[in-house]
Amino acid sequence: MKRVKLAEIAHARSGDKGDGSNVGLIAYSDRGFEILREQVTVERVKAHFAKICLGSVKRYEIPNLKALNFILGDSLGGGGTESIKTDAQGKTHGMAMLEMEIEVPADFQR
Amino acid sequence: MSKSIRIGNGQGFWGDSIDAPVRLLRGGPIDYITMDYLAEVTMSIMQRQKLKNPDRGYAHDFVAFIDKVLPELVERNVKVIANAGGVNPEACQKALMDVAAKHGLKGVKIAIVTGDDILDRLEPFNAQGEKFANMDTGEGLFDQKRDILSANVYAPTNGIVEALDQGAQIVVTGRGTDPGLVLGPMIHEFGWDWADWDKLALGTVAGHILECGAQCTGGNFTNWQEVPNMADIGYPIVEVNDKGEVVITKHDSQGGLVTIDTVSEQLLYEMGDPNDYITPDCVVDFTSIQLEDLGNNRVAVKGVKGKPKTDFYKVSISYLNGFKATGQLTVSGPDAYAKARKCADILWARLEAAGYSYADKMTEFLGVGVCHDGIRHQEDPPEVVMRVGVKDQDRKKVDRFGKEIAPLVTSGPPGVTGFAGGRPKAQEIVAYWPALLRKELIDVHVDVSEV
């Protein structure tokens, strides 16, 4: 096994959902999607975004798109129009997700 | 012979590229151009404009666009559907009629779809027992006094279809759903049944993919290095035919990238529960969508499953919720981060000493790792931007905060710069209140005028 960043096996996009953000995480391959399913758990995502996401994390599976969708509750400092944070709309949370490290087989290719 | 149409989206939000719809029109074959101008906060801005001047309260950019291209639209029979009406579709229609007359055109039909604006009906609805409970918190809208600025339901798509059925060249709406701008012409062209949930869902998914403009053609794409000619990025087009086949594409002559990857990212954008994507027209199951890459920037959308619509419309209410201000300074090294932290400490200490406290205050050190706080961190960058902000119900207190930033340049650590644009002033915080309303309380109206 080797440790790689999520960016090696998936791509992402994020945006706002009230006072939370959503992060769509999409695997490049079916094998990659199985790794996302196993390793990118609600607990790991909450720990990864510990300083950003102050609420709870929800996870949805969209297997037809090889994707997971996460809702990061209370992560925008009041939401789109009320927040005074630089990233008031969670636009950068997708790229932040791709920094997470996961384990893949040594011969894994995306 | 099989019939096929091309619908493009030339505007993803108010503030999107002014040239995009023109490039969409002139870049190749197109039958419909849709344009989305309305965000939650936009309605409140337009409401303010209308209070000052009854002829305003809609997207002026849209009228300027139509003025630029109307003869071309008429000649090529390209129809335009836009939610540019804001809180004053009637005034927008009048301005468009004036534009048509100015160009000496005859027989051009310009329609407005109204009925979404319920600002004046909130009190009567309340008297009838409608609570407008906040969808996030459950709190009732009238549980305490609020300075409400605007209130609109997300109207269904039947108004757009009716306007097109009556021969409108331009359809202007108030608040509707963004995907409805794309779904409308499909129903008009192909006569889809209002209870054919799979078809309505298919058109809604196409609309969702298109609604943020270039975000499905390579904009905001993770693998941005792969996107050809982003400066001339093509805005999205959906091709749909009478067999119900849907393909997402763009003009061949323009830049950008349409692949399963770029389309998938946009499908997930601002997604909640993928099993139930609720619009006024239907409920879509996003876990049913199949994408197929046909090559040459063409992606087919298949297999979409829909479910019956719900009994409620979503209502978007905006209200005034205090004031905010933000400001920033650039702090150069050596020890940029340490000096920036010192600047922030001094600023908050001075405000406290002057007797000011705030409902909420915020300090960021851009360059050290703000967007990815706790994930990526750089302890000693060559420079740091200190960004500070406050929120409070008291406008004067917020204005006072804005006066405390510039003094740091001369009375704090050395090498501090980047104070430009004057003292930050208090800005109104327009807050957003999502609620539901029973559908039978709302009627959509269509008015078609001919030059």
Side-chain angles (χ1 to χ4, degrees):
Chain A
M1 299 295 275
K2 62 179 177 184
R3 282 186 83 76
V4 297
K5 286 192 173 177
L6 261 185
E8 294 284 317
I9 74 163
H11 56 119
R13 174 163 302 174
S14 58
D16 62 332
K17 213 61 204 157
D19 191 20
S21 64
N22 100 295
V23 179
L25 183 65
I26 308 158
Y28 291 111
S29 66
D30 290 335
R31 203 173 164 204
F33 179 58
E34 286 312 311
I35 294 171
L36 294 189
R37 251 184 175 156
E38 285 163 22
Q39 296 189 37
V40 190
T41 60
V42 164
E43 294 73 25
R44 276 219 67 191
V45 170
K46 173 71 183 164
H48 186 69
F49 286 96
K51 296 187 84 168
I52 293 168
C53 172
L54 307 178
S56 62
V57 173
K58 269 192 219 153
R59 183 180 110 151
Y60 299 98
E61 296 189 2
I62 309 125
N64 49 314
L65 301 177
K66 299 194 282 286
L68 299 175
N69 185 39
F70 293 92
I71 307 293
L72 310 183
D74 192 3
S75 59
L76 301 180
T81 58
E82 294 190 65
S83 174
I84 47 179
K85 288 176 74 146
T86 285
D87 189 11
Q89 294 173 306
K91 300 270 184 196
T92 65
H93 294 177
M95 296 297 106
M97 178 76 91
L98 297 181
E99 298 282 346
M100 184 189 290
E101 284 193 356
I102 49 154
E103 291 208 331
V104 299
D107 66 343
F108 185 87
Q109 293 191 333
R110 85 179 202 185
Chain B
M1 205 182 90
S2 156
K3 170 174 159 186
S4 177
I5 56 163
R6 281 159 69 93
I7 307 165
N9 178 20
Q11 193 81 176
F13 59 98
W14 199 14
D16 199 356
S17 163
I18 287 170
D19 295 327
V22 180
R23 292 171 52 244
L24 189 61
L25 175 65
R26 296 180 181 161
I30 197 88
D31 299 299
Y32 289 86
I33 293 176
T34 65
M35 301 174 77
D36 172 24
Y37 286 97
L38 302 183
E40 277 107 20
V41 67
T42 320
M43 297 307 257
S44 63
I45 297 168
M46 289 175 167
Q47 195 67 47
R48 289 274 157 122
Q49 292 174 345
K50 188 182 170 187
L51 283 175
K52 282 184 197 151
N53 180 345
D55 294 331
R56 297 193 63 185
Y58 60 89
H60 275 70
D61 290 3
F62 178 66
V63 177
F65 163 68
I66 293 298
D67 188 18
K68 194 168 182 176
V69 301
L70 186 56
E72 235 173 304
L73 293 175
V74 172
E75 196 193 320
R76 289 174 56 190
N77 192 26
V78 176
K79 291 172 175 159
V80 178
I81 307 162
N83 58 18
V87 296
N88 202 349
E90 296 83 359
C92 186
Q93 184 186 35
K94 186 176 176 302
L96 292 168
M97 298 291 283
D98 290 347
V99 165
K102 190 188 91 178
H103 285 283
L105 294 165
K106 288 268 184 288
V108 177
K109 290 181 179 172
I110 296 168
I112 52 170
V113 179
T114 57
D116 61 293
D117 191 341
I118 58 164
L119 183 60
D120 295 336
R121 300 174 71 188
L122 283 177
E123 290 294 341
F125 281 145
N126 181 37
Q128 288 172 37
E130 294 294 328
K131 300 284 177 230
F132 295 97
N134 188 302
M135 288 171 73
D136 297 327
T137 65
E139 198 186 345
L141 180 65
F142 302 99
D143 289 0
Q144 58 169 287
K145 193 174 158 19
R146 280 175 233 281
D147 192 351
I148 295 170
L149 302 172
S150 67
N152 300 76
V153 298
Y154 284 86
T157 302
N158 59 337
I160 293 173
V161 177
E162 197 183 318
L164 291 171
D165 287 350
Q166 290 187 41
Q169 182 94 39
I170 300 171
V171 181
V172 171
T173 75
R175 180 76 271 184
T177 63
D178 301 345
L181 300 173
V182 170
L183 174 63
M186 294 186 185
I187 298 172
H188 162 68
E189 290 279 352
F190 302 113
W192 291 350
D193 194 288
W194 286 104
D196 187 343
W197 308 115
D198 290 350
K199 282 275 188 2
L200 299 184
L202 176 67
T204 299
V205 167
H208 176 84
I209 293 168
L210 262 60
E211 72 178 46
C212 295
Q215 273 205 153
C216 69
T217 56
N220 194 15
F221 178 46
T222 301
N223 298 308
W224 55 276
Q225 305 96 326
E226 295 173 8
V227 180
N229 196 6
M230 220 186 245
D232 186 38
I233 197 162
Y235 272 55
I237 294 168
V238 55
E239 282 180 10
V240 54
N241 64 21
D242 48 12
K243 291 181 207 137
E245 291 167 338
V246 162
V247 172
I248 307 297
T249 187
K250 65 176 189 66
H251 285 317
D252 294 336
S253 59
Q254 296 172 348
L257 186 67
V258 182
T259 63
I260 287 180
D261 288 356
T262 62
V263 172
S264 297
E265 282 194 17
Q266 185 53 26
L267 276 173
L268 294 172
Y269 183 67
E270 291 182 346
M271 175 58 48
D273 180 349
N275 303 290
D276 289 306
Y277 178 95
I278 302 169
T279 78
D281 307 304
C282 63
V283 178
V284 186
D285 179 358
F286 271 53
T287 68
S288 64
I289 301 169
Q290 300 295 327
L291 300 178
E292 185 188 347
D293 197 331
L294 306 175
N296 291 322
N297 292 300
R298 295 172 63 81
V299 171
V301 182
K302 298 174 173 180
V304 183
K305 294 283 172 212
K307 293 177 265 190
K309 62 187 177 186
T310 71
D311 295 331
F312 296 91
Y313 287 130
K314 189 172 174 185
V315 187
S316 170
I317 300 163
S318 68
Y319 64 103
L320 195 57
N321 192 19
F323 299 87
K324 63 181 176 181
T326 58
Q328 64 182 52
L329 288 173
T330 303
V331 183
S332 68
D335 305 320
Y337 183 28
K339 288 193 293 191
R341 277 180 296 179
K342 187 71 177 177
C343 283
D345 289 346
I346 294 168
L347 177 136
W348 298 123
R350 285 177 180 164
L351 282 167
E352 196 183 333
Y356 289 88
S357 61
Y358 296 90
D360 193 12
K361 56 183 195 178
M362 182 260 342
T363 312
E364 293 178 330
F365 299 103
L366 299 172
V368 173
V370 168
C371 293
H372 299 182
D373 192 9
I375 298 165
R376 287 286 300 274
H377 180 80
Q378 186 167 337
E379 188 64 24
D380 189 24
E383 69 225 357
V384 171
V385 172
M386 179 198 72
R387 188 170 174 279
V388 284
V390 296
K391 289 200 263 192
D392 205 273
Q393 295 293 330
D394 185 342
R395 175 172 222 146
K396 282 190 191 123
K397 281 165 63 180
V398 175
D399 275 332
R400 176 63 178 81
F401 154 85
K403 295 173 181 170
E404 207 55 67
I405 299 170
L408 283 164
V409 176
T410 54
S411 65
V416 176
T417 186
F419 184 78
R423 292 164 166 169
K425 287 202 166 56
Q427 291 180 308
E428 289 176 345
I429 297 176
V430 176
Y432 167 64
W433 186 282
L436 294 174
L437 187 63
R438 284 181 292 126
K439 280 186 175 168
E440 61 264 31
L441 296 172
I442 297 297
D443 287 311
V444 172
H445 309 282
V446 175
D447 176 78
V448 182
S449 293
E450 186 170 339
V451 186

Coordinates of all heavy atoms in Angstrom, one line a residue, chain B residues 161-214:
Chain B
V161 N -43.6 28.3 -20.6 CA -44.1 27.5 -21.7 C -45.3 28.2 -22.4 O -45.4 28.3 -23.6 CB -44.6 26.1 -21.2 CG1 -45.2 25.3 -22.4 CG2 -43.4 25.4 -20.6
E162 N -46.2 28.8 -21.6 CA -47.4 29.5 -22.1 C -46.9 30.7 -22.9 O -47.5 31.0 -24.0 CB -48.3 29.9 -20.9 CG -49.7 30.3 -21.4 CD -50.5 30.8 -20.2 OE1 -50.4 30.2 -19.1 OE2 -51.2 31.8 -20.4
A163 N -45.9 31.4 -22.5 CA -45.4 32.6 -23.2 C -44.8 32.2 -24.5 O -45.1 32.8 -25.6 CB -44.4 33.3 -22.3
L164 N -44.1 31.1 -24.6 CA -43.5 30.6 -25.8 C -44.6 30.1 -26.7 O -44.6 30.3 -28.0 CB -42.5 29.5 -25.6 CG -41.2 29.9 -24.9 CD1 -40.4 28.7 -24.4 CD2 -40.4 30.8 -25.8
D165 N -45.6 29.4 -26.2 CA -46.7 28.9 -27.0 C -47.5 30.1 -27.7 O -48.0 29.9 -28.7 CB -47.7 28.2 -26.1 CG -47.2 26.8 -25.7 OD1 -46.2 26.4 -26.2 OD2 -47.8 26.2 -24.8
Q166 N -47.5 31.3 -27.0 CA -48.1 32.4 -27.6 C -47.2 33.2 -28.6 O -47.6 34.3 -29.1 CB -48.6 33.4 -26.5 CG -49.8 32.8 -25.7 CD -50.3 33.9 -24.7 OE1 -50.4 35.1 -25.0 NE2 -50.6 33.5 -23.5
G167 N -46.0 32.7 -28.8 CA -45.2 33.2 -29.9 C -44.2 34.3 -29.4 O -43.7 35.0 -30.2
A168 N -43.9 34.3 -28.1 CA -43.0 35.3 -27.6 C -41.5 35.1 -28.1 O -41.1 33.9 -28.2 CB -42.9 35.3 -26.1
Q169 N -40.9 36.2 -28.5 CA -39.5 36.1 -28.9 C -38.6 36.2 -27.7 O -37.6 35.6 -27.6 CB -39.2 37.3 -29.8 CG -37.8 37.4 -30.4 CD -37.7 36.7 -31.7 OE1 -38.6 36.9 -32.6 NE2 -36.6 36.0 -32.0
I170 N -39.1 37.0 -26.7 CA -38.3 37.2 -25.5 C -39.3 37.0 -24.3 O -40.4 37.5 -24.3 CB -37.8 38.7 -25.4 CG1 -36.8 39.0 -26.6 CG2 -37.1 38.9 -24.0 CD1 -36.4 40.4 -26.7
V171 N -38.8 36.1 -23.4 CA -39.6 35.9 -22.2 C -38.9 36.3 -21.0 O -37.7 35.9 -20.8 CB -40.0 34.4 -22.1 CG1 -40.8 34.1 -20.8 CG2 -40.6 33.8 -23.3
V172 N -39.5 37.2 -20.2 CA -38.9 37.8 -19.0 C -39.7 37.3 -17.8 O -40.9 37.5 -17.8 CB -38.8 39.3 -19.1 CG1 -38.4 39.9 -17.7 CG2 -37.9 39.8 -20.2
T173 N -39.0 36.7 -16.9 CA -39.7 36.2 -15.7 C -39.1 37.0 -14.4 O -38.1 37.6 -14.5 CB -39.4 34.7 -15.4 OG1 -38.1 34.5 -14.9 CG2 -39.7 33.9 -16.7
G174 N -39.9 36.8 -13.3 CA -39.3 37.2 -12.0 C -38.6 36.0 -11.5 O -37.8 35.3 -12.2
R175 N -38.9 35.7 -10.2 CA -38.2 34.5 -9.6 C -38.8 33.2 -10.1 O -40.0 33.0 -9.9 CB -38.3 34.6 -8.1 CG -37.7 33.6 -7.2 CD -36.2 33.7 -7.1 NE -35.5 33.0 -8.2 CZ -34.2 32.9 -8.3 NH1 -33.4 33.5 -7.4 NH2 -33.6 32.3 -9.3
G176 N -38.0 32.4 -10.8 CA -38.4 31.1 -11.1 C -37.2 30.2 -10.8 O -36.3 30.7 -10.1
T177 N -37.2 29.0 -11.2 CA -36.0 28.2 -10.9 C -35.1 28.3 -12.1 O -35.5 28.6 -13.2 CB -36.4 26.7 -10.8 OG1 -36.9 26.2 -12.1 CG2 -37.4 26.4 -9.7
D178 N -33.8 28.2 -11.8 CA -32.8 28.3 -12.9 C -33.0 27.2 -13.9 O -33.0 27.5 -15.1 CB -31.4 28.3 -12.3 CG -31.2 29.4 -11.3 OD1 -32.0 30.4 -11.3 OD2 -30.2 29.4 -10.6
P179 N -33.2 26.0 -13.5 CA -33.3 24.9 -14.5 C -34.6 25.1 -15.4 O -34.6 24.7 -16.5 CB -33.4 23.6 -13.7 CG -32.8 23.9 -12.4 CD -33.1 25.4 -12.2
G180 N -35.6 25.8 -14.8 CA -36.8 26.0 -15.6 C -36.6 26.8 -16.9 O -37.4 26.7 -17.8
L181 N -35.6 27.7 -16.9 CA -35.3 28.5 -18.1 C -35.0 27.6 -19.3 O -35.3 27.9 -20.4 CB -34.1 29.4 -17.8 CG -34.3 30.5 -16.7 CD1 -33.0 31.2 -16.4 CD2 -35.4 31.5 -17.0
V182 N -34.4 26.4 -19.0 CA -34.0 25.5 -20.0 C -35.1 24.4 -20.2 O -35.4 24.0 -21.4 CB -32.7 24.8 -19.6 CG1 -32.4 23.6 -20.5 CG2 -31.5 25.8 -19.6
L183 N -35.8 24.0 -19.2 CA -36.9 23.1 -19.3 C -38.1 23.7 -20.1 O -38.7 22.9 -20.9 CB -37.4 22.7 -17.9 CG -38.6 21.8 -17.8 CD1 -38.4 20.4 -18.4 CD2 -39.0 21.6 -16.3
G184 N -38.3 24.9 -19.9 CA -39.5 25.6 -20.6 C -39.5 25.4 -22.1 O -40.5 24.9 -22.6
P185 N -38.4 25.8 -22.8 CA -38.5 25.6 -24.2 C -38.6 24.1 -24.7 O -39.1 23.8 -25.7 CB -37.1 26.2 -24.7 CG -36.3 26.5 -23.5 CD -37.3 26.5 -22.3
M186 N -38.1 23.2 -23.9 CA -38.2 21.8 -24.3 C -39.7 21.4 -24.2 O -40.2 20.7 -25.2 CB -37.4 20.9 -23.3 CG -35.9 21.1 -23.3 SD -35.1 19.9 -22.3 CE -33.4 20.5 -22.4
I187 N -40.4 21.8 -23.2 CA -41.8 21.5 -23.1 C -42.6 22.1 -24.2 O -43.5 21.5 -24.9 CB -42.4 21.9 -21.7 CG1 -41.7 21.1 -20.6 CG2 -43.9 21.6 -21.7 CD1 -42.0 21.5 -19.2
H188 N -42.2 23.4 -24.5 CA -42.9 24.1 -25.6 C -42.7 23.4 -26.9 O -43.6 23.3 -27.7 CB -42.4 25.6 -25.6 CG -42.6 26.3 -26.9 ND1 -43.9 26.6 -27.3 CD2 -41.8 26.6 -27.9 CE1 -43.8 27.2 -28.5 NE2 -42.5 27.3 -28.9
E189 N -41.5 23.0 -27.2 CA -41.1 22.5 -28.5 C -41.7 21.1 -28.7 O -42.1 20.7 -29.8 CB -39.6 22.4 -28.7 CG -38.9 23.8 -28.8 CD -39.0 24.4 -30.3 OE1 -39.4 23.6 -31.2 OE2 -38.7 25.5 -30.4
F190 N -41.6 20.3 -27.7 CA -41.9 18.8 -27.8 C -43.2 18.4 -27.2 O -43.6 17.2 -27.2 CB -40.7 18.0 -27.3 CG -39.4 18.3 -28.0 CD1 -38.4 18.9 -27.3 CD2 -39.3 18.1 -29.4 CE1 -37.2 19.2 -28.0 CE2 -38.1 18.4 -30.0 CZ -37.1 19.0 -29.3
G191 N -43.9 19.4 -26.6 CA -45.2 19.0 -26.0 C -45.2 18.0 -24.9 O -46.1 17.2 -24.7
W192 N -44.1 18.0 -24.1 CA -44.0 17.0 -23.0 C -45.2 17.2 -22.1 O -45.6 18.3 -21.7 CB -42.7 17.2 -22.3 CG -41.5 16.8 -23.1 CD1 -41.4 16.1 -24.3 CD2 -40.1 17.0 -22.7 NE1 -40.1 15.9 -24.7 CE2 -39.3 16.5 -23.7 CE3 -39.5 17.6 -21.6 CZ2 -37.9 16.5 -23.7 CZ3 -38.1 17.7 -21.6 CH2 -37.3 17.1 -22.6
D193 N -45.6 16.1 -21.6 CA -46.8 16.1 -20.6 C -46.3 16.5 -19.2 O -45.2 16.2 -18.8 CB -47.3 14.6 -20.5 CG -48.7 14.6 -19.8 OD1 -48.7 14.8 -18.6 OD2 -49.7 14.4 -20.6
W194 N -47.2 17.3 -18.6 CA -46.8 17.8 -17.2 C -46.8 16.8 -16.2 O -46.4 17.0 -15.0 CB -47.8 19.0 -16.8 CG -47.5 20.2 -17.6 CD1 -48.3 20.7 -18.6 CD2 -46.4 21.1 -17.4 NE1 -47.7 21.9 -19.1 CE2 -46.6 22.2 -18.4 CE3 -45.3 21.2 -16.5 CZ2 -45.7 23.3 -18.5 CZ3 -44.5 22.3 -16.6 CH2 -44.7 23.3 -17.6
A195 N -47.2 15.5 -16.5 CA -47.1 14.4 -15.6 C -46.1 13.4 -16.1 O -46.0 12.3 -15.5 CB -48.4 13.8 -15.4
D196 N -45.3 13.7 -17.1 CA -44.3 12.8 -17.6 C -43.0 13.1 -16.7 O -42.1 13.9 -17.2 CB -44.0 13.0 -19.1 CG -43.0 12.0 -19.6 OD1 -42.3 11.3 -18.8 OD2 -43.0 11.8 -20.9
W197 N -43.0 12.6 -15.5 CA -41.9 13.0 -14.6 C -40.5 12.7 -15.0 O -39.6 13.5 -14.7 CB -42.2 12.3 -13.2 CG -43.6 12.5 -12.7 CD1 -44.5 11.5 -12.6 CD2 -44.3 13.7 -12.4 NE1 -45.7 12.1 -12.2 CE2 -45.6 13.4 -12.1 CE3 -43.9 15.1 -12.4 CZ2 -46.5 14.4 -11.7 CZ3 -44.8 16.1 -12.1 CH2 -46.1 15.7 -11.7
D198 N -40.3 11.7 -15.8 CA -39.0 11.4 -16.3 C -38.5 12.5 -17.3 O -37.4 12.9 -17.3 CB -38.9 10.0 -17.0 CG -39.1 8.9 -16.0 OD1 -39.0 9.1 -14.7 OD2 -39.2 7.7 -16.4
K199 N -39.4 12.9 -18.1 CA -39.1 13.9 -19.1 C -38.8 15.3 -18.4 O -37.8 15.9 -18.7 CB -40.2 14.1 -20.1 CG -40.2 13.0 -21.2 CD -39.3 13.4 -22.3 CE -39.4 12.5 -23.6 NZ -40.4 11.5 -23.6
L200 N -39.7 15.6 -17.5 CA -39.5 16.9 -16.7 C -38.2 16.8 -16.0 O -37.4 17.8 -15.9 CB -40.7 17.1 -15.8 CG -42.1 17.2 -16.4 CD1 -43.1 17.6 -15.3 CD2 -42.1 18.3 -17.4
A201 N -37.9 15.6 -15.4 CA -36.6 15.5 -14.7 C -35.4 15.6 -15.6 O -34.4 16.2 -15.3 CB -36.6 14.1 -14.0
L202 N -35.5 15.0 -16.8 CA -34.4 15.1 -17.8 C -34.1 16.6 -18.2 O -33.0 17.0 -18.2 CB -34.8 14.3 -19.1 CG -33.8 14.4 -20.2 CD1 -32.5 13.6 -19.9 CD2 -34.4 13.7 -21.5
G203 N -35.2 17.3 -18.5 CA -35.0 18.7 -18.8 C -34.5 19.5 -17.6 O -33.7 20.5 -17.8
T204 N -34.9 19.2 -16.4 CA -34.4 19.8 -15.2 C -32.9 19.6 -15.0 O -32.2 20.5 -14.6 CB -35.2 19.4 -14.0 OG1 -36.6 19.7 -14.2 CG2 -34.8 20.0 -12.7
V205 N -32.5 18.3 -15.2 CA -31.1 18.0 -15.1 C -30.3 18.8 -16.1 O -29.2 19.4 -15.8 CB -30.9 16.5 -15.2 CG1 -29.4 16.2 -15.4 CG2 -31.4 15.7 -14.0
A206 N -30.8 18.9 -17.3 CA -30.1 19.6 -18.4 C -30.0 21.1 -17.9 O -28.9 21.7 -18.0 CB -30.8 19.6 -19.7
G207 N -31.0 21.6 -17.4 CA -31.0 23.0 -16.9 C -30.1 23.2 -15.7 O -29.4 24.2 -15.6
H208 N -30.0 22.2 -14.8 CA -29.1 22.3 -13.7 C -27.6 22.3 -14.2 O -26.8 23.0 -13.7 CB -29.3 21.1 -12.8 CG -28.3 21.0 -11.6 ND1 -28.5 21.7 -10.4 CD2 -27.1 20.4 -11.5 CE1 -27.4 21.5 -9.6 NE2 -26.6 20.7 -10.3
I209 N -27.3 21.5 -15.2 CA -26.0 21.5 -15.8 C -25.6 22.8 -16.4 O -24.5 23.3 -16.3 CB -25.8 20.3 -16.8 CG1 -26.0 19.0 -16.2 CG2 -24.5 20.4 -17.6 CD1 -26.2 17.8 -17.1
L210 N -26.6 23.5 -17.1 CA -26.3 24.7 -17.8 C -26.4 25.9 -16.9 O -25.8 27.0 -17.2 CB -27.4 24.9 -18.9 CG -26.9 24.5 -20.3 CD1 -26.6 23.0 -20.4 CD2 -28.0 24.8 -21.3
E211 N -27.0 25.9 -15.7 CA -27.4 27.1 -15.0 C -26.3 28.0 -14.5 O -26.5 29.1 -14.3 CB -28.4 26.8 -13.8 CG -27.7 26.1 -12.7 CD -28.7 25.8 -11.5 OE1 -29.8 25.3 -11.8 OE2 -28.3 26.1 -10.4
C212 N -25.1 27.4 -14.3 CA -24.0 28.2 -13.9 C -23.0 28.6 -15.0 O -21.8 28.8 -14.8 CB -23.2 27.6 -12.8 SG -24.3 27.4 -11.3
G213 N -23.5 28.7 -16.2 CA -22.7 29.1 -17.4 C -21.6 28.1 -17.6 O -21.7 26.9 -17.7
A214 N -20.4 28.7 -17.7 CA -19.2 28.0 -18.1 C -18.7 27.0 -17.0 O -17.7 26.3 -17.2 CB -18.0 28.9 -18.4

